[in-house]
Amino acid sequence: MKLNNEALKDRAAWEAGGFVLPKFDREKVAEETRKNPEWVHFGCGNIFRAFPAALQQKLLDNGDAKTGIIAAEGYDYEIIEKAMKAQDNLCLAVTLKANGTIDKTVIASVVESVTVNSENEKDFSRLKEIFRNKSLQMVSFTITEKGYSIVNGKGELLPDVQDDFAAGPKAPKSYIGKLVALVYERYMNGKLPLALVSMDNCSHNGTKLYEAVNAFSKKWVENGLVDAGFDEYINSDSVSFPWSMIDKITPRPDESVKKMLIEAGFDDVEPVITSKNTYVAPFVNAEESQYLVIEDKFPNGRPALDKVGVIFTTKETVDKVEKMKVCTCLNPLHTALAVFGCLLGHTHIYKEMEDPELKKLVEIVGYKEGLPVVVDPGIIRPIDFIDEVLKVRIPNPFMPDTPQRIACDTSQKLSIRFGETIKAYEAREDLSVDDLKLIPLVLAGWCRYLMAIDDEGKAFELSPDPMLPEVCPVVKDIKLGDKGPFGEILKPILSSQKIFGVDLYAIGMADKVVNYFTELVAGPGAVRATLKKYEA
């Protein structure tokens, strides 16, 4: 079986293989979408195809929507021709269940795909036509946090952005420049309302998108390149930039999944790898758990996504959900497993949950130390969320994530993933920083990790991290079996508010971290022995 419209006509063959097919009239939906588009999505990656596109499919199947999604790709144009159009914009969504089985659903809600390329006259004209249409309600994005940046690491404007600021909306080259040129079309066609919805997994994503768009509108107005009222329109109630929190893991296809699909009769298992090294397969595999919480700010209406599990709420509640996930119920546990997983020689996160010391570590960090100060959003119970993380999501054998990957950029994560909890303990009258036992052990574990020597005394490669040149020299002369004292040696790290969000000396935690570190470097096997000692 191949993934295209013609092959889907043989429904009996697909259904015999256990594939769930769309129930709606796709041709009718495509025609309605062409005339009255409601939803455009920028970014044709796995998370979009496995999550928002699958949600819209449910609405179409249930009769709660009449139009599909128009997918637009602004980074890697080859995806449109070589992947999307080659498969008639279809995708196979494979749900990886924790019990080792899979569900297989053909997603057909994407009914049109275009490049966001101002040099492609046909596609860019089509996008302008869509943006001029009164029916358009939402433009959503999964373009990664980097996609919203208009400056480099030094704060300097990117070359394409600088050119676009000077040239205006006629033929923009930068991603945001192309988007703003399309929004300008909507402004010139009656200042029509629109929601621009970032669904990227980054903090305050709506604000990041707004700031980039606003920079363009201001500069173009200032340079006399657009109508003087355009910036006012961007900053009016007619254009919204809702915050959202998205949570669903979509790992690269595993060989075991390919094998199961082939056995079920599905032939399209091989990926397309573009010249930009983008990996796009005809199928996407993803975990079953998923969350999408969006600020309910849609000036032109919105799809009925609340009927298929999306939670629409206030900006403040979205912020609380994100903090619950990032500061307590998911991300800190991942980091703890990453650091100690590398030290104990693990290569799969799910396997770590079969390691009694590591399982107990994240249970104590999450349930005992994190939950007392968790930010409770009121719409998702933190205890339910963390239960699912530790009992279903992380132990899922289909999640081929590695501690080595999650350990990337740890120095950039510690201040949010642990620093916020430490600050909360410090601020509460009924709690004390001294109550924390295993969070300080994780911080000591990271210092031990920086030595790049595992618990058996073997060297390993540290994961990429921008602060390695600054922090690794601090521990470079420490060897297994050294007795210390390590207080003065570790002080440049432990006093860094940039790393931890707090000065560990100022809050009285540094000595505990140093003592843990001393035990962790006592010799081969000391990491596991220390975990056992303090989990008892």
mmCIF file of all heavy atoms in Angstrom, residues 24-66:
data_model
loop_
_atom_site.group_PDB
_atom_site.id
_atom_site.type_symbol
_atom_site.label_atom_id
_atom_site.label_comp_id
_atom_site.label_asym_id
_atom_site.label_seq_id
_atom_site.Cartn_x
_atom_site.Cartn_y
_atom_site.Cartn_z
ATOM 1 N N PHE A 24 -14.499 11.577 6.064
ATOM 2 C CA PHE A 24 -15.115 12.707 5.362
ATOM 3 C C PHE A 24 -14.815 12.668 3.860
ATOM 4 O O PHE A 24 -13.909 11.957 3.407
ATOM 5 C CB PHE A 24 -14.642 14.030 5.963
ATOM 6 C CG PHE A 24 -13.135 14.210 5.953
ATOM 7 C CD1 PHE A 24 -12.496 14.820 4.894
ATOM 8 C CD2 PHE A 24 -12.365 13.775 7.027
ATOM 9 C CE1 PHE A 24 -11.122 14.998 4.889
ATOM 10 C CE2 PHE A 24 -10.976 13.940 7.033
ATOM 11 C CZ PHE A 24 -10.358 14.554 5.962
ATOM 12 N N ASP A 25 -15.575 13.456 3.104
ATOM 13 C CA ASP A 25 -15.388 13.580 1.665
ATOM 14 C C ASP A 25 -14.247 14.568 1.430
ATOM 15 O O ASP A 25 -14.424 15.785 1.529
ATOM 16 C CB ASP A 25 -16.686 14.080 1.011
ATOM 17 C CG ASP A 25 -16.593 14.136 -0.511
ATOM 18 O OD1 ASP A 25 -15.477 14.320 -1.039
ATOM 19 O OD2 ASP A 25 -17.646 14.028 -1.164
ATOM 20 N N ARG A 26 -13.076 14.045 1.119
ATOM 21 C CA ARG A 26 -11.895 14.907 1.046
ATOM 22 C C ARG A 26 -11.964 15.900 -0.106
ATOM 23 O O ARG A 26 -11.526 17.049 0.011
ATOM 24 C CB ARG A 26 -10.632 14.045 0.920
ATOM 25 C CG ARG A 26 -9.361 14.841 1.230
ATOM 26 C CD ARG A 26 -8.161 13.945 1.324
ATOM 27 N NE ARG A 26 -6.992 14.672 1.792
ATOM 28 C CZ ARG A 26 -5.804 14.640 1.194
ATOM 29 N NH1 ARG A 26 -5.612 13.893 0.118
ATOM 30 N NH2 ARG A 26 -4.795 15.333 1.678
ATOM 31 N N GLU A 27 -12.516 15.478 -1.229
ATOM 32 C CA GLU A 27 -12.626 16.393 -2.370
ATOM 33 C C GLU A 27 -13.532 17.570 -2.036
ATOM 34 O O GLU A 27 -13.240 18.721 -2.384
ATOM 35 C CB GLU A 27 -13.157 15.642 -3.601
ATOM 36 C CG GLU A 27 -12.139 14.691 -4.211
ATOM 37 C CD GLU A 27 -12.647 14.052 -5.498
ATOM 38 O OE1 GLU A 27 -13.706 14.502 -6.010
ATOM 39 O OE2 GLU A 27 -11.997 13.113 -5.986
ATOM 40 N N LYS A 28 -14.621 17.287 -1.349
ATOM 41 C CA LYS A 28 -15.554 18.341 -0.960
ATOM 42 C C LYS A 28 -14.895 19.293 0.036
ATOM 43 O O LYS A 28 -15.039 20.522 -0.063
ATOM 44 C CB LYS A 28 -16.803 17.720 -0.344
ATOM 45 C CG LYS A 28 -17.896 18.707 0.007
ATOM 46 C CD LYS A 28 -19.123 17.982 0.559
ATOM 47 C CE LYS A 28 -20.206 18.982 0.975
ATOM 48 N NZ LYS A 28 -21.395 18.278 1.542
ATOM 49 N N VAL A 29 -14.161 18.739 0.993
ATOM 50 C CA VAL A 29 -13.454 19.557 1.983
ATOM 51 C C VAL A 29 -12.388 20.410 1.302
ATOM 52 O O VAL A 29 -12.222 21.597 1.623
ATOM 53 C CB VAL A 29 -12.833 18.671 3.081
ATOM 54 C CG1 VAL A 29 -11.850 19.463 3.942
ATOM 55 C CG2 VAL A 29 -13.919 18.061 3.955
ATOM 56 N N ALA A 30 -11.658 19.835 0.352
ATOM 57 C CA ALA A 30 -10.614 20.577 -0.357
ATOM 58 C C ALA A 30 -11.207 21.753 -1.128
ATOM 59 O O ALA A 30 -10.642 22.856 -1.140
ATOM 60 C CB ALA A 30 -9.857 19.651 -1.296
ATOM 61 N N GLU A 31 -12.339 21.529 -1.755
ATOM 62 C CA GLU A 31 -12.995 22.587 -2.526
ATOM 63 C C GLU A 31 -13.481 23.707 -1.604
ATOM 64 O O GLU A 31 -13.311 24.893 -1.898
ATOM 65 C CB GLU A 31 -14.179 22.005 -3.305
ATOM 66 C CG GLU A 31 -14.925 23.015 -4.166
ATOM 67 C CD GLU A 31 -14.030 23.713 -5.182
ATOM 68 O OE1 GLU A 31 -13.040 23.110 -5.639
ATOM 69 O OE2 GLU A 31 -14.327 24.881 -5.516
ATOM 70 N N GLU A 32 -14.067 23.333 -0.471
ATOM 71 C CA GLU A 32 -14.538 24.333 0.491
ATOM 72 C C GLU A 32 -13.359 25.115 1.066
ATOM 73 O O GLU A 32 -13.450 26.333 1.290
ATOM 74 C CB GLU A 32 -15.325 23.647 1.611
ATOM 75 C CG GLU A 32 -15.904 24.590 2.653
ATOM 76 C CD GLU A 32 -16.951 25.526 2.102
ATOM 77 O OE1 GLU A 32 -17.582 25.204 1.067
ATOM 78 O OE2 GLU A 32 -17.153 26.600 2.711
ATOM 79 N N THR A 33 -12.245 24.436 1.292
ATOM 80 C CA THR A 33 -11.048 25.083 1.834
ATOM 81 C C THR A 33 -10.475 26.070 0.832
ATOM 82 O O THR A 33 -10.015 27.163 1.204
ATOM 83 C CB THR A 33 -9.984 24.032 2.210
ATOM 84 O OG1 THR A 33 -10.556 23.082 3.102
ATOM 85 C CG2 THR A 33 -8.771 24.680 2.864
ATOM 86 N N ARG A 34 -10.491 25.698 -0.428
ATOM 87 C CA ARG A 34 -9.970 26.605 -1.464
ATOM 88 C C ARG A 34 -10.782 27.899 -1.507
ATOM 89 O O ARG A 34 -10.232 28.984 -1.662
ATOM 90 C CB ARG A 34 -9.991 25.898 -2.826
ATOM 91 C CG ARG A 34 -9.537 26.778 -3.974
ATOM 92 C CD ARG A 34 -9.114 25.977 -5.179
ATOM 93 N NE ARG A 34 -7.803 25.383 -4.983
ATOM 94 C CZ ARG A 34 -6.649 26.044 -5.143
ATOM 95 N NH1 ARG A 34 -6.652 27.301 -5.493
ATOM 96 N NH2 ARG A 34 -5.494 25.442 -4.954
ATOM 97 N N LYS A 35 -12.085 27.773 -1.362
ATOM 98 C CA LYS A 35 -12.959 28.955 -1.449
ATOM 99 C C LYS A 35 -12.986 29.749 -0.140
ATOM 100 O O LYS A 35 -12.983 30.976 -0.154
ATOM 101 C CB LYS A 35 -14.385 28.526 -1.813
ATOM 102 C CG LYS A 35 -14.533 27.996 -3.230
ATOM 103 C CD LYS A 35 -15.993 27.756 -3.588
ATOM 104 C CE LYS A 35 -16.597 26.661 -2.722
ATOM 105 N NZ LYS A 35 -17.996 26.322 -3.153
ATOM 106 N N ASN A 36 -13.021 29.034 0.974
ATOM 107 C CA ASN A 36 -13.176 29.686 2.284
ATOM 108 C C ASN A 36 -12.165 29.157 3.298
ATOM 109 O O ASN A 36 -12.531 28.500 4.274
ATOM 110 C CB ASN A 36 -14.597 29.470 2.814
ATOM 111 C CG ASN A 36 -15.653 30.053 1.904
ATOM 112 O OD1 ASN A 36 -15.673 31.252 1.664
ATOM 113 N ND2 ASN A 36 -16.533 29.200 1.386
ATOM 114 N N PRO A 37 -10.885 29.422 3.078
ATOM 115 C CA PRO A 37 -9.856 28.902 3.996
ATOM 116 C C PRO A 37 -10.020 29.484 5.393
ATOM 117 O O PRO A 37 -10.310 30.673 5.554
ATOM 118 C CB PRO A 37 -8.549 29.355 3.351
ATOM 119 C CG PRO A 37 -8.920 30.571 2.558
ATOM 120 C CD PRO A 37 -10.307 30.298 2.045
ATOM 121 N N GLU A 38 -9.839 28.635 6.393
ATOM 122 C CA GLU A 38 -9.955 29.080 7.783
ATOM 123 C C GLU A 38 -8.660 28.920 8.573
ATOM 124 O O GLU A 38 -8.423 29.639 9.535
ATOM 125 C CB GLU A 38 -11.074 28.296 8.481
ATOM 126 C CG GLU A 38 -12.454 28.570 7.918
ATOM 127 C CD GLU A 38 -13.537 27.740 8.581
ATOM 128 O OE1 GLU A 38 -13.268 26.588 8.983
ATOM 129 O OE2 GLU A 38 -14.667 28.244 8.693
ATOM 130 N N TRP A 39 -7.817 27.969 8.152
ATOM 131 C CA TRP A 39 -6.626 27.642 8.951
ATOM 132 C C TRP A 39 -5.442 27.385 8.029
ATOM 133 O O TRP A 39 -5.467 26.500 7.186
ATOM 134 C CB TRP A 39 -6.933 26.406 9.796
ATOM 135 C CG TRP A 39 -5.839 25.973 10.743
ATOM 136 C CD1 TRP A 39 -4.593 26.497 10.891
ATOM 137 C CD2 TRP A 39 -5.923 24.895 11.689
ATOM 138 N NE1 TRP A 39 -3.889 25.814 11.854
ATOM 139 C CE2 TRP A 39 -4.686 24.843 12.362
ATOM 140 C CE3 TRP A 39 -6.915 23.979 12.024
ATOM 141 C CZ2 TRP A 39 -4.413 23.896 13.352
ATOM 142 C CZ3 TRP A 39 -6.651 23.043 13.009
ATOM 143 C CH2 TRP A 39 -5.422 23.001 13.667
ATOM 144 N N VAL A 40 -4.395 28.200 8.214
ATOM 145 C CA VAL A 40 -3.105 27.983 7.548
ATOM 146 C C VAL A 40 -2.088 27.641 8.625
ATOM 147 O O VAL A 40 -2.074 28.275 9.687
ATOM 148 C CB VAL A 40 -2.636 29.232 6.776
ATOM 149 C CG1 VAL A 40 -1.246 29.010 6.189
ATOM 150 C CG2 VAL A 40 -3.614 29.570 5.667
ATOM 151 N N HIS A 41 -1.261 26.648 8.356
ATOM 152 C CA HIS A 41 -0.223 26.293 9.328
ATOM 153 C C HIS A 41 1.152 26.398 8.685
ATOM 154 O O HIS A 41 1.403 25.818 7.623
ATOM 155 C CB HIS A 41 -0.417 24.870 9.857
ATOM 156 C CG HIS A 41 0.588 24.518 10.906
ATOM 157 N ND1 HIS A 41 0.413 24.810 12.240
ATOM 158 C CD2 HIS A 41 1.831 23.946 10.810
ATOM 159 C CE1 HIS A 41 1.474 24.428 12.925
ATOM 160 N NE2 HIS A 41 2.358 23.906 12.073
ATOM 161 N N PHE A 42 2.058 27.123 9.344
ATOM 162 C CA PHE A 42 3.435 27.277 8.874
ATOM 163 C C PHE A 42 4.323 26.255 9.590
ATOM 164 O O PHE A 42 4.398 26.245 10.825
ATOM 165 C CB PHE A 42 3.942 28.686 9.190
ATOM 166 C CG PHE A 42 3.475 29.749 8.230
ATOM 167 C CD1 PHE A 42 2.129 29.932 7.969
ATOM 168 C CD2 PHE A 42 4.384 30.570 7.586
ATOM 169 C CE1 PHE A 42 1.689 30.910 7.105
ATOM 170 C CE2 PHE A 42 3.958 31.558 6.704
ATOM 171 C CZ PHE A 42 2.600 31.733 6.460
ATOM 172 N N GLY A 43 4.995 25.418 8.800
ATOM 173 C CA GLY A 43 5.903 24.416 9.380
ATOM 174 C C GLY A 43 5.327 23.020 9.208
ATOM 175 O O GLY A 43 4.380 22.655 9.903
ATOM 176 N N CYS A 44 5.892 22.241 8.307
ATOM 177 C CA CYS A 44 5.318 20.932 7.959
ATOM 178 C C CYS A 44 6.025 19.779 8.654
ATOM 179 O O CYS A 44 6.167 18.685 8.092
ATOM 180 C CB CYS A 44 5.367 20.731 6.441
ATOM 181 S SG CYS A 44 4.414 21.952 5.531
ATOM 182 N N GLY A 45 6.482 19.995 9.863
ATOM 183 C CA GLY A 45 7.226 18.961 10.574
ATOM 184 C C GLY A 45 6.351 17.922 11.238
ATOM 185 O O GLY A 45 5.118 17.921 11.116
ATOM 186 N N ASN A 46 7.011 17.030 11.979
ATOM 187 C CA ASN A 46 6.324 15.879 12.570
ATOM 188 C C ASN A 46 5.268 16.263 13.594
ATOM 189 O O ASN A 46 4.189 15.682 13.637
ATOM 190 C CB ASN A 46 7.347 14.946 13.225
ATOM 191 C CG ASN A 46 8.176 14.209 12.196
ATOM 192 O OD1 ASN A 46 7.817 14.150 11.021
ATOM 193 N ND2 ASN A 46 9.291 13.635 12.612
ATOM 194 N N ILE A 47 5.581 17.246 14.452
ATOM 195 C CA ILE A 47 4.635 17.594 15.505
ATOM 196 C C ILE A 47 3.325 18.102 14.898
ATOM 197 O O ILE A 47 2.232 17.793 15.388
ATOM 198 C CB ILE A 47 5.239 18.628 16.489
ATOM 199 C CG1 ILE A 47 4.297 18.907 17.663
ATOM 200 C CG2 ILE A 47 5.581 19.921 15.779
ATOM 201 C CD1 ILE A 47 4.119 17.772 18.614
ATOM 202 N N PHE A 48 3.410 18.872 13.813
ATOM 203 C CA PHE A 48 2.203 19.367 13.156
ATOM 204 C C PHE A 48 1.382 18.223 12.583
ATOM 205 O O PHE A 48 0.167 18.129 12.783
ATOM 206 C CB PHE A 48 2.560 20.354 12.033
ATOM 207 C CG PHE A 48 1.445 20.560 11.037
ATOM 208 C CD1 PHE A 48 0.245 21.130 11.443
ATOM 209 C CD2 PHE A 48 1.590 20.159 9.716
ATOM 210 C CE1 PHE A 48 -0.800 21.305 10.520
ATOM 211 C CE2 PHE A 48 0.566 20.328 8.804
ATOM 212 C CZ PHE A 48 -0.634 20.901 9.210
ATOM 213 N N ARG A 49 2.037 17.325 11.883
ATOM 214 C CA ARG A 49 1.289 16.258 11.201
ATOM 215 C C ARG A 49 0.698 15.254 12.185
ATOM 216 O O ARG A 49 -0.373 14.696 11.942
ATOM 217 C CB ARG A 49 2.213 15.552 10.197
ATOM 218 C CG ARG A 49 2.689 16.495 9.082
ATOM 219 C CD ARG A 49 3.402 15.750 7.962
ATOM 220 N NE ARG A 49 4.640 15.146 8.406
ATOM 221 C CZ ARG A 49 5.250 14.151 7.774
ATOM 222 N NH1 ARG A 49 4.725 13.628 6.692
ATOM 223 N NH2 ARG A 49 6.383 13.674 8.231
ATOM 224 N N ALA A 50 1.390 15.054 13.321
ATOM 225 C CA ALA A 50 0.915 14.066 14.297
ATOM 226 C C ALA A 50 -0.085 14.633 15.285
ATOM 227 O O ALA A 50 -0.781 13.869 15.954
ATOM 228 C CB ALA A 50 2.104 13.485 15.058
ATOM 229 N N PHE A 51 -0.173 15.969 15.400
ATOM 230 C CA PHE A 51 -0.986 16.538 16.471
ATOM 231 C C PHE A 51 -2.058 17.498 15.935
ATOM 232 O O PHE A 51 -3.220 17.095 15.801
ATOM 233 C CB PHE A 51 -0.066 17.194 17.503
ATOM 234 C CG PHE A 51 -0.712 17.480 18.839
ATOM 235 C CD1 PHE A 51 0.020 18.033 19.887
ATOM 236 C CD2 PHE A 51 -2.060 17.217 19.078
ATOM 237 C CE1 PHE A 51 -0.560 18.304 21.122
ATOM 238 C CE2 PHE A 51 -2.653 17.483 20.305
ATOM 239 C CZ PHE A 51 -1.903 18.037 21.317
ATOM 240 N N PRO A 52 -1.738 18.758 15.581
ATOM 241 C CA PRO A 52 -2.812 19.640 15.101
ATOM 242 C C PRO A 52 -3.558 19.094 13.885
ATOM 243 O O PRO A 52 -4.796 19.176 13.815
ATOM 244 C CB PRO A 52 -2.063 20.938 14.750
ATOM 245 C CG PRO A 52 -0.853 20.920 15.625
ATOM 246 C CD PRO A 52 -0.456 19.478 15.706
ATOM 247 N N ALA A 53 -2.830 18.515 12.928
ATOM 248 C CA ALA A 53 -3.503 17.972 11.740
ATOM 249 C C ALA A 53 -4.413 16.803 12.103
ATOM 250 O O ALA A 53 -5.498 16.633 11.532
ATOM 251 C CB ALA A 53 -2.470 17.535 10.699
ATOM 252 N N ALA A 54 -3.984 15.996 13.079
ATOM 253 C CA ALA A 54 -4.812 14.873 13.526
ATOM 254 C C ALA A 54 -6.057 15.366 14.269
ATOM 255 O O ALA A 54 -7.128 14.756 14.175
ATOM 256 C CB ALA A 54 -3.994 13.946 14.420
ATOM 257 N N LEU A 55 -5.921 16.472 14.998
ATOM 258 C CA LEU A 55 -7.081 17.044 15.683
ATOM 259 C C LEU A 55 -8.119 17.530 14.675
ATOM 260 O O LEU A 55 -9.327 17.296 14.842
ATOM 261 C CB LEU A 55 -6.643 18.211 16.578
ATOM 262 C CG LEU A 55 -5.745 17.874 17.772
ATOM 263 C CD1 LEU A 55 -5.342 19.155 18.490
ATOM 264 C CD2 LEU A 55 -6.443 16.924 18.735
ATOM 265 N N GLN A 56 -7.653 18.214 13.633
ATOM 266 C CA GLN A 56 -8.590 18.698 12.613
ATOM 267 C C GLN A 56 -9.266 17.539 11.886
ATOM 268 O O GLN A 56 -10.435 17.631 11.509
ATOM 269 C CB GLN A 56 -7.866 19.617 11.626
ATOM 270 C CG GLN A 56 -8.774 20.299 10.609
ATOM 271 C CD GLN A 56 -9.687 21.356 11.223
ATOM 272 O OE1 GLN A 56 -9.641 21.603 12.423
ATOM 273 N NE2 GLN A 56 -10.522 21.976 10.404
ATOM 274 N N GLN A 57 -8.536 16.448 11.723
ATOM 275 C CA GLN A 57 -9.140 15.262 11.107
ATOM 276 C C GLN A 57 -10.333 14.772 11.933
ATOM 277 O O GLN A 57 -11.372 14.413 11.381
ATOM 278 C CB GLN A 57 -8.096 14.148 10.999
ATOM 279 C CG GLN A 57 -8.686 12.796 10.618
ATOM 280 C CD GLN A 57 -8.047 12.209 9.390
ATOM 281 O OE1 GLN A 57 -7.663 12.919 8.464
ATOM 282 N NE2 GLN A 57 -7.917 10.914 9.355
ATOM 283 N N LYS A 58 -10.168 14.762 13.261
ATOM 284 C CA LYS A 58 -11.272 14.332 14.119
ATOM 285 C C LYS A 58 -12.478 15.248 13.960
ATOM 286 O O LYS A 58 -13.628 14.789 13.924
ATOM 287 C CB LYS A 58 -10.823 14.298 15.583
ATOM 288 C CG LYS A 58 -9.852 13.176 15.904
ATOM 289 C CD LYS A 58 -9.472 13.192 17.386
ATOM 290 C CE LYS A 58 -8.468 12.091 17.710
ATOM 291 N NZ LYS A 58 -8.064 12.125 19.140
ATOM 292 N N LEU A 59 -12.234 16.556 13.864
ATOM 293 C CA LEU A 59 -13.342 17.494 13.669
ATOM 294 C C LEU A 59 -14.048 17.231 12.353
ATOM 295 O O LEU A 59 -15.288 17.252 12.280
ATOM 296 C CB LEU A 59 -12.823 18.936 13.706
ATOM 297 C CG LEU A 59 -12.310 19.457 15.045
ATOM 298 C CD1 LEU A 59 -11.846 20.912 14.903
ATOM 299 C CD2 LEU A 59 -13.374 19.361 16.126
ATOM 300 N N LEU A 60 -13.280 16.975 11.303
ATOM 301 C CA LEU A 60 -13.873 16.671 9.996
ATOM 302 C C LEU A 60 -14.651 15.362 10.035
ATOM 303 O O LEU A 60 -15.762 15.259 9.506
ATOM 304 C CB LEU A 60 -12.777 16.613 8.928
ATOM 305 C CG LEU A 60 -12.152 17.967 8.558
ATOM 306 C CD1 LEU A 60 -10.847 17.758 7.799
ATOM 307 C CD2 LEU A 60 -13.126 18.800 7.723
ATOM 308 N N ASP A 61 -14.086 14.344 10.666
ATOM 309 C CA ASP A 61 -14.768 13.049 10.777
ATOM 310 C C ASP A 61 -16.095 13.182 11.527
ATOM 311 O O ASP A 61 -17.079 12.519 11.190
ATOM 312 C CB ASP A 61 -13.875 12.042 11.518
ATOM 313 C CG ASP A 61 -12.808 11.431 10.626
ATOM 314 O OD1 ASP A 61 -12.920 11.549 9.394
ATOM 315 O OD2 ASP A 61 -11.873 10.822 11.165
ATOM 316 N N ASN A 62 -16.097 14.062 12.550
ATOM 317 C CA ASN A 62 -17.290 14.212 13.385
ATOM 318 C C ASN A 62 -18.291 15.223 12.838
ATOM 319 O O ASN A 62 -19.341 15.451 13.453
ATOM 320 C CB ASN A 62 -16.877 14.631 14.804
ATOM 321 C CG ASN A 62 -16.048 13.572 15.503
ATOM 322 O OD1 ASN A 62 -16.083 12.403 15.143
ATOM 323 N ND2 ASN A 62 -15.279 13.984 16.504
ATOM 324 N N GLY A 63 -17.953 15.860 11.729
ATOM 325 C CA GLY A 63 -18.848 16.869 11.170
ATOM 326 C C GLY A 63 -18.780 18.206 11.870
ATOM 327 O O GLY A 63 -19.665 19.057 11.705
ATOM 328 N N ASP A 64 -17.712 18.441 12.647
ATOM 329 C CA ASP A 64 -17.570 19.702 13.381
ATOM 330 C C ASP A 64 -16.695 20.707 12.643
ATOM 331 O O ASP A 64 -16.358 21.760 13.186
ATOM 332 C CB ASP A 64 -16.975 19.427 14.767
ATOM 333 C CG ASP A 64 -17.942 18.669 15.661
ATOM 334 O OD1 ASP A 64 -19.147 18.989 15.622
ATOM 335 O OD2 ASP A 64 -17.499 17.748 16.378
ATOM 336 N N ALA A 65 -16.293 20.384 11.433
ATOM 337 C CA ALA A 65 -15.521 21.300 10.592
ATOM 338 C C ALA A 65 -15.862 21.016 9.133
ATOM 339 O O ALA A 65 -16.225 19.884 8.776
ATOM 340 C CB ALA A 65 -14.023 21.120 10.827
ATOM 341 N N LYS A 66 -15.752 22.051 8.308
ATOM 342 C CA LYS A 66 -16.030 21.905 6.877
ATOM 343 C C LYS A 66 -14.794 22.108 6.021
ATOM 344 O O LYS A 66 -14.790 21.779 4.845
ATOM 345 C CB LYS A 66 -17.109 22.915 6.452
ATOM 346 C CG LYS A 66 -18.476 22.655 7.065
ATOM 347 C CD LYS A 66 -19.486 23.676 6.566
ATOM 348 C CE LYS A 66 -20.860 23.407 7.160
ATOM 349 N NZ LYS A 66 -21.869 24.418 6.714
#
